Structure formats: structure tokens, C-alpha cells
Amino acid sequence: MNQITKVIGSAKQPDEKKILTLLKIDKEEKKFVSISSAENLHAINTIQRFSSLCSILEVCKFVKNDTKRDTSFNDFKNLYLDEMINGLYDLRMLGSSFESAQTLMYLINGSVRGISGYVKRLIDAIRITLKKNDLKAAKTKIVLSWTLDTNEMRGDKLEMLNSIASKLRDYIGDVETSTGSVDLFHQDKVTIVVACSSGDYKEIKENLKDDNTFVIKANPLCEI
């Protein structure tokens, strides 16, 4: 869901040909616009993306377990939390920019709540896994697997990772956050691993050799 911008905001009219040659990284033509136009276009793209995403997240709440294998849902199965929250910081900042615009604030706040609601549902999926398999909290370890750039300037993802871990620790003491390779060998405990990106899920599947491990995909369907 990362999109390369098609416009570039500029305070003054630059020498477009020279700069565009330096900035060209794909075949799509870019153009210079005013700063305010670039900001408004970015706002439209951000709100539009999260509105669409939250529609997926909300409807997927009602998808029953016996229909999750339907190939119609394949596009959503490969959409992980890592992608979902790209631009979340920008969305929240837009909430401060359009405070007097009721309809816009409805869309922005609804999207923020939609992401929060999804995180709650992901945590519920972990709790359901414990209950259905009669797992005791004291004998269970949870690993949140999310490979991140810890030096990222905005830090949205690291903040989200720590927030989920904190909420899980309210009822399970042994919660580990992994921003790199995951150690899945915990002989004394059952392990529940939450794959927060497609890359993490792939690595988990390649290294998984223990039947005493449950894997939850942090996608709209919260597949277990």
C-alpha cells in the first residue's frame, strides 16, 4: 500500500526538467504544484486509503471461520498490520488540520477508531486461541514478530508494537517483541506467534519445527 507520489509541492517554480530527471524512479510522469495543492492531494489520498482499509477491516469481522479459506479473500490474507498502519501518523495529523470540517473529521476519526478496533480484535484472537486450546497463561509465551526499522523517524510501527505488547501483558506476563529473527524454541512453554508482516510470516513458516506453536496472521481475517 505504499504509493509513490505523482506530484511534488514547491514554493517557487523550479527548473522542472532538471529536477524531474533526478527524481525519476518510475515511468509515471510527475509534476510540480503549489505547497497547498500538494498538501490537499496528500490529505485526499491518505483519507481515501484509510477509509477503504477500514471498510475491509469492518466487514472481515463478520467472515466466519468456515469461509476464510475462500479464495475470494486472498487479497486480504496478504494484507498485514505492517502495511495497514502506513501513514497513520499523517492521518492523525490531518485530524488536527481539519478540526472545523465535520464530515472530514467523521472520516478521519472513524478511520483511527477502525485501526484501534482491529488491534482489539487481534488481541481477542489471541485470547480465543488460549481459551479454545485450554492454554494456561502461566505456561504460554506470546511473541509479536514484526521486523522494524528501529531508527524510523516517525516511529508509528514501533509505538503500535509496544502498545499491543503492553495490552497483552495485562493478562499474560510472558510477552516478547521481536523486531528481527524470531526464536521459536521455548521447550517449557506453548508459544503463540503473531506475524505482523508478510516477511515475518514467511520467516516463521520456514523456521517452524515445533507443533507446540500457534501462528496468528495479523491480517484482516486474523487467521490462526
Side-chain angles (χ1 to χ4, degrees), residues 126 129-130 135 140-144 172 190-194 212-216:
I126 297 170
T129 302
L130 285 166
L135 302 176
T140 304
K141 182 182 186 70
I142 295 177
V143 178
L144 298 173
I172 294 181
V190 174
T191 305
I192 298 175
V193 187
V194 183
N212 219 25
T213 301
F214 295 85
V215 181
I216 298 177

Side-chain angles (χ1 to χ4, degrees), residues 5-73:
T5 183
K6 295 180 181 179
V7 298
I8 301 169
S10 175
K12 295 181 180 180
Q13 192 69 19
D15 186 342
E16 292 190 15
K17 288 186 178 180
K18 288 184 179 179
I19 296 179
L20 287 176
T21 301
L22 295 172
L23 296 175
K24 189 174 182 180
I25 56 175
D26 56 21
K27 294 182 180 180
E28 289 191 14
E29 185 178 342
K30 294 178 176 60
K31 62 180 179 180
F32 285 96
V33 298
S34 67
I35 295 292
S36 61
S37 293
E39 289 175 342
N40 288 331
L41 288 170
H42 179 63
I44 290 170
N45 290 336
T46 301
I47 296 169
Q48 189 176 51
R49 189 182 89 79
F50 276 99
S51 296
S52 175
L53 171 62
C54 287
S55 298
I56 295 169
L57 296 179
E58 290 301 309
V59 173
C60 282
K61 287 180 182 179
F62 303 100
V63 178
K64 297 179 180 178
N65 287 331
D66 57 350
T67 58
K68 286 183 179 180
R69 294 181 182 179
D70 192 322
T71 55
S72 302
F73 294 100

Side-chain angles (χ1 to χ4, degrees), residues 103-130:
T103 304
L104 271 177
M105 289 306 298
Y106 178 80
L107 292 171
I108 293 168
N109 291 335
S111 295
V112 172
R113 285 195 297 270
I115 297 297
S116 298
Y118 171 74
V119 170
K120 182 181 181 300
R121 185 155 60 92
L122 180 62
I123 292 172
D124 286 343
I126 297 170
R127 298 178 68 174
I128 290 169
T129 302
L130 285 166

Side-chain angles (χ1 to χ4, degrees), residues 9 13 28 32 35 47-48 52 54 82 91 122 124-125 127 131-132 145-146 153 167 179 185 193 201 207 211 218:
Q13 192 69 19
E28 289 191 14
F32 285 96
I35 295 292
I47 296 169
Q48 189 176 51
S52 175
C54 287
D82 182 70
L91 182 71
L122 180 62
D124 286 343
R127 298 178 68 174
K131 187 175 181 180
K132 280 188 174 181
S145 179
W146 198 349
M153 289 183 66
K167 290 173 182 176
T179 57
F185 302 100
V193 187
Y201 179 69
N207 296 326
D211 294 334

Side-chain angles (χ1 to χ4, degrees), residues 131-197:
K131 187 175 181 180
K132 280 188 174 181
N133 295 279
D134 295 322
L135 302 176
K136 293 182 179 180
K139 294 186 177 181
T140 304
K141 182 182 186 70
I142 295 177
V143 178
L144 298 173
S145 179
W146 198 349
T147 302
L148 300 174
D149 178 3
T150 54
N151 296 314
E152 186 181 31
M153 289 183 66
R154 292 181 178 179
D156 307 46
K157 297 179 181 180
L158 188 58
E159 181 183 342
M160 178 67 75
L161 175 64
N162 292 332
S163 174
I164 295 173
S166 177
K167 290 173 182 176
L168 286 170
R169 289 190 182 106
D170 287 343
Y171 59 94
I172 294 181
D174 198 353
V175 179
E176 177 184 326
T177 58
S178 173
T179 57
S181 298
V182 182
D183 178 13
L184 299 177
F185 302 100
H186 306 284
Q187 296 179 354
D188 56 335
K189 291 187 176 183
V190 174
T191 305
I192 298 175
V193 187
V194 183
C196 296
S197 75

